[in-house]
Amino acid sequence: MAISAFSSSRANGRPTPPPYTILIMNGPNLGHLGERQPEIYGSQGLDLIPAMVQQLLGERAAEVELSFFQSNSEGRLIDRLEQAREEGVHGVAFNAGAYTHTSLAIADCIAWIGLPVVEVHISNVLARAEKIRRTSFMGESVLGVISGFGLMSYALAVQALHAHLRAVP
Ligand code: DQA
Protein backbone atom coordinates (compact mmCIF):
# COMPACT_ATOMS: atom_id res chain seq x y z
CA MET A 1 0.00 0.00 0.00
CA ALA A 2 1.37 3.42 -0.85
CA ILE A 3 -0.46 6.64 -0.14
CA SER A 4 1.02 10.00 -0.94
CA ALA A 5 -0.53 12.25 1.62
CA PHE A 6 0.79 15.69 0.93
CA SER A 7 2.23 17.66 -1.94
CA SER A 8 3.52 21.17 -2.30
CA SER A 9 3.31 23.45 -5.33
CA ARG A 10 5.27 26.35 -6.78
CA ALA A 11 3.87 29.79 -7.50
CA ASN A 12 3.85 28.93 -11.21
CA GLY A 13 1.38 26.16 -10.43
CA ARG A 14 3.74 23.33 -11.34
CA PRO A 15 3.91 20.71 -8.61
CA THR A 16 7.26 20.10 -6.99
CA PRO A 17 7.98 17.00 -4.90
CA PRO A 18 8.06 17.57 -1.15
CA PRO A 19 11.60 17.32 0.22
CA TYR A 20 11.12 14.60 2.82
CA THR A 21 9.72 11.18 2.00
CA ILE A 22 8.73 9.29 5.12
CA LEU A 23 7.66 5.67 5.10
CA ILE A 24 5.27 4.47 7.80
CA MET A 25 5.78 0.74 8.27
CA ASN A 26 3.71 -1.72 10.25
CA GLY A 27 4.56 -5.28 11.16
CA PRO A 28 2.48 -8.31 12.10
CA ASN A 29 -1.10 -7.98 13.34
CA LEU A 30 -1.17 -4.26 12.59
CA GLY A 31 -3.13 -4.59 9.35
CA HIS A 32 -6.46 -4.46 11.11
CA LEU A 33 -6.09 -1.48 13.40
CA GLY A 34 -9.48 -0.38 14.65
CA GLU A 35 -10.65 -4.00 14.87
CA ARG A 36 -7.79 -5.59 16.83
CA GLN A 37 -8.18 -5.36 20.61
CA PRO A 38 -9.58 -1.80 20.55
CA GLU A 39 -9.19 -1.57 24.32
CA ILE A 40 -5.41 -1.61 23.72
CA TYR A 41 -4.96 -0.30 20.17
CA GLY A 42 -7.99 1.99 19.82
CA SER A 43 -10.87 1.88 17.37
CA GLN A 44 -9.39 4.08 14.62
CA GLY A 45 -7.42 3.20 11.52
CA LEU A 46 -4.16 4.40 9.96
CA ASP A 47 -6.09 6.59 7.51
CA LEU A 48 -6.25 9.25 10.26
CA ILE A 49 -2.48 9.71 10.35
CA PRO A 50 -2.15 12.29 7.54
CA ALA A 51 -4.64 14.58 9.32
CA MET A 52 -2.74 14.13 12.60
CA VAL A 53 0.55 15.00 10.87
CA GLN A 54 -1.13 18.05 9.34
CA GLN A 55 -2.28 19.11 12.81
CA LEU A 56 1.21 18.69 14.29
CA LEU A 57 3.23 20.20 11.45
CA GLY A 58 0.81 22.85 10.19
CA GLU A 59 2.15 24.46 6.98
CA ARG A 60 5.27 22.33 7.22
CA ALA A 61 3.18 19.24 6.49
CA ALA A 62 3.65 20.19 2.83
CA GLU A 63 7.34 19.32 3.28
CA VAL A 64 6.50 15.69 3.98
CA GLU A 65 5.33 12.93 1.70
CA LEU A 66 4.00 9.85 3.47
CA SER A 67 3.77 6.31 2.20
CA PHE A 68 2.54 3.23 4.04
CA PHE A 69 3.53 -0.43 4.12
CA GLN A 70 2.29 -3.31 6.25
CA SER A 71 3.29 -6.96 6.30
CA ASN A 72 2.91 -9.87 8.66
CA SER A 73 6.13 -11.34 7.31
CA GLU A 74 9.57 -10.64 8.77
CA GLY A 75 11.30 -11.14 5.40
CA ARG A 76 8.96 -8.77 3.55
CA LEU A 77 9.57 -6.08 6.18
CA ILE A 78 13.32 -6.45 5.68
CA ASP A 79 12.86 -6.35 1.89
CA ARG A 80 10.85 -3.12 2.25
CA LEU A 81 13.53 -1.51 4.43
CA GLU A 82 16.21 -2.41 1.86
CA GLN A 83 13.99 -1.04 -0.91
CA ALA A 84 13.49 2.18 1.09
CA ARG A 85 17.27 2.61 1.15
CA GLU A 86 17.49 2.07 -2.61
CA GLU A 87 14.63 4.51 -3.25
CA GLY A 88 16.29 7.19 -1.13
CA VAL A 89 13.46 7.36 1.39
CA HIS A 90 14.48 9.94 4.01
CA GLY A 91 13.09 8.35 7.16
CA VAL A 92 11.00 5.49 8.50
CA ALA A 93 8.43 5.41 11.30
CA PHE A 94 8.33 1.71 12.10
CA ASN A 95 5.94 -0.22 14.32
CA ALA A 96 7.39 -3.72 14.03
CA GLY A 97 4.77 -5.11 16.43
CA ALA A 98 5.93 -8.27 18.19
CA TYR A 99 9.02 -8.43 15.93
CA THR A 100 10.32 -5.49 17.93
CA HIS A 101 10.84 -7.88 20.82
CA THR A 102 12.06 -10.93 18.88
CA SER A 103 13.68 -10.10 15.55
CA LEU A 104 17.45 -9.91 15.37
CA ALA A 105 17.06 -9.98 11.59
CA ILE A 106 15.06 -6.73 11.48
CA ALA A 107 17.43 -5.13 14.00
CA ASP A 108 20.42 -6.18 11.81
CA CYS A 109 18.77 -4.58 8.79
CA ILE A 110 18.11 -1.27 10.55
CA ALA A 111 21.72 -1.29 11.79
CA TRP A 112 23.20 -1.28 8.27
CA ILE A 113 20.79 0.54 5.95
CA GLY A 114 21.73 3.95 7.33
CA LEU A 115 18.20 5.40 7.38
CA PRO A 116 16.84 7.23 10.40
CA VAL A 117 14.20 4.94 11.88
CA VAL A 118 11.85 5.84 14.73
CA GLU A 119 10.48 2.86 16.64
CA VAL A 120 6.75 3.31 17.14
CA HIS A 121 4.26 1.66 19.48
CA ILE A 122 0.61 2.48 19.89
CA SER A 123 0.53 1.16 23.43
CA ASN A 124 3.03 1.99 26.16
CA VAL A 125 5.11 -1.16 25.90
CA LEU A 126 6.85 -0.41 29.21
CA ALA A 127 3.51 -0.52 31.01
CA ARG A 128 2.25 -3.77 29.46
CA ALA A 129 1.96 -6.93 31.56
CA GLU A 130 4.32 -9.10 29.50
CA LYS A 131 7.95 -8.50 30.44
CA ILE A 132 9.20 -9.33 26.92
CA ARG A 133 7.51 -6.18 25.59
CA ARG A 134 10.14 -4.17 27.48
CA THR A 135 12.82 -5.67 25.22
CA SER A 136 13.57 -4.09 21.86
CA PHE A 137 16.09 -5.73 19.53
CA MET A 138 16.01 -2.69 17.24
CA GLY A 139 16.31 -0.18 20.07
CA GLU A 140 20.09 0.15 19.72
CA SER A 141 19.91 1.17 16.07
CA VAL A 142 16.90 3.49 15.96
CA LEU A 143 16.90 7.25 16.27
CA GLY A 144 14.38 7.10 19.10
CA VAL A 145 11.24 5.44 20.41
CA ILE A 146 7.68 6.76 20.65
CA SER A 147 5.32 4.57 22.61
CA GLY A 148 1.94 4.93 24.26
CA PHE A 149 0.18 7.74 22.40
CA GLY A 150 -2.22 5.63 20.40
CA LEU A 151 -2.32 6.44 16.69
CA MET A 152 -0.76 9.79 17.52
CA SER A 153 2.51 7.85 18.11
CA TYR A 154 2.90 7.59 14.31
CA ALA A 155 2.28 11.31 13.77
CA LEU A 156 4.73 12.18 16.57
CA ALA A 157 7.30 9.91 14.92
CA VAL A 158 6.81 11.75 11.61
CA GLN A 159 7.19 15.07 13.44
CA ALA A 160 10.40 13.83 15.09
CA LEU A 161 11.79 12.61 11.75
CA HIS A 162 10.89 15.91 10.08
CA ALA A 163 12.70 17.87 12.82
CA HIS A 164 15.69 15.51 12.60
CA LEU A 165 15.91 15.74 8.81
CA ARG A 166 15.72 19.54 8.91
CA ALA A 167 18.45 19.69 11.55
CA VAL A 168 20.80 17.16 9.92
CA PRO A 169 21.57 18.06 6.28
C1 DQA B 1 2.78 -2.83 19.60
C2 DQA B 1 3.25 -3.45 20.91
C3 DQA B 1 3.82 -4.83 20.68
O1 DQA B 1 4.25 -5.38 21.90
C4 DQA B 1 2.76 -5.73 20.08
O2 DQA B 1 3.29 -7.00 19.82
C5 DQA B 1 2.11 -5.16 18.89
C6 DQA B 1 1.80 -3.73 18.88
C7 DQA B 1 2.12 -1.46 19.80
O3 DQA B 1 1.94 -0.76 18.81
O4 DQA B 1 1.74 -1.09 20.92
O5 DQA B 1 1.77 -5.86 17.95
O6 DQA B 1 3.92 -2.63 18.77
Side-chain angles (χ1 to χ4, degrees):
M1 174 170 67
I3 299 171
S4 292
F6 304 112
S7 63
S8 58
S9 57
R10 282 205 193 104
N12 66 13
R14 248 186 297 141
T16 167
Y20 303 123
T21 52
I22 294 180
L23 173 63
I24 296 182
M25 285 184 61
N26 277 293
N29 301 306
L30 292 162
H32 293 276
L33 281 178
E35 297 168 60
R36 174 191 177 195
Q37 295 170 286
E39 68 285 3
I40 300 175
Y41 300 110
S43 50
Q44 296 169 321
L46 293 176
D47 50 318
L48 288 182
I49 292 175
M52 288 176 169
V53 170
Q54 179 80 56
Q55 200 189 345
L56 286 176
L57 289 184
E59 279 182 9
R60 289 208 179 277
E63 296 172 10
V64 171
E65 183 174 293
L66 299 180
S67 60
F68 291 81
F69 180 81
Q70 190 274 330
S71 177
N72 294 326
S73 150
E74 190 177 24
R76 288 195 66 207
L77 292 164
I78 293 168
D79 289 345
R80 188 65 190 93
L81 286 169
E82 290 182 349
Q83 189 188 330
R85 172 180 172 268
E86 281 156 25
E87 291 168 355
V89 163
H90 294 102
V92 182
F94 190 9
N95 186 348
Y99 284 143
T100 309
H101 320 300
T102 62
S103 177
L104 182 58
I106 288 176
D108 279 354
C109 182
I110 293 169
W112 83 266
I113 56 171
L115 291 180
V117 175
V118 173
E119 179 182 324
V120 175
H121 300 286
I122 298 165
S123 64
N124 177 356
V125 284
L126 298 180
R128 301 278 298 270
E130 304 86 357
K131 208 174 156 199
I132 192 169
R133 294 191 205 274
R134 288 172 225 157
T135 299
S136 169
F137 276 67
M138 66 173 73
E140 275 186 28
S141 304
V142 294
L143 192 63
V145 182
I146 297 181
S147 180
F149 295 94
L151 272 189
M152 188 60 85
S153 290
Y154 295 93
L156 290 165
V158 171
Q159 186 184 36
L161 283 164
H162 175 264
H164 171 79
L165 292 165
R166 277 175 56 82
V168 181

